[in-house]
Amino acid sequence: EMYNKFANFVSDLETVGKRIDQTGSAYNDAMNKLKTGRGNLIITTEKIKKLGARTNKEISPSLLEEAEESTIN
């Protein structure tokens, strides 16, 4: 009985690991859509800000830098 419980526990951990991987992959896909390629959303919204849109928040400098670099490559 103990062995069966342990085997079930290991199986549950494997399932959790797969789902963590899937979540990470979905996060990476979403971030890439946000910050890569010409006309990415981050660069587009920064352009709107520079045209005079009032804001009280800032996009993180590191994320801006990544987005800018992706338009060059």
Side-chain angles (χ1 to χ4, degrees):
E1 187 175 325
M2 182 181 155
Y3 184 89
N4 290 339
K5 284 186 177 197
F6 182 73
N8 285 333
F9 177 71
V10 170
S11 177
D12 289 346
L13 283 178
E14 289 175 325
T15 300
V16 169
K18 288 176 188 174
R19 290 185 181 159
I20 288 171
D21 291 343
Q22 290 171 341
T23 302
S25 179
Y27 170 80
N28 288 333
D29 291 346
M31 287 301 287
N32 284 334
K33 290 173 186 169
L34 181 69
K35 67 182 181 180
T36 61
R38 290 186 172 268
N40 67 59
L41 191 55
I42 291 174
I43 296 301
T44 301
T45 55
E46 276 298 302
K47 286 178 183 176
I48 292 170
K49 179 182 170 188
K50 288 178 182 176
L51 289 172
R54 286 191 251 177
T55 65
N56 57 3
K57 302 279 182 177
E58 296 288 327
I59 297 173
S60 76
S62 62
L63 199 55
L64 276 172
E65 185 177 319
E66 285 183 56
E68 289 171 353
E69 287 175 4
S70 80
T71 62
I72 296 169
N73 297 332

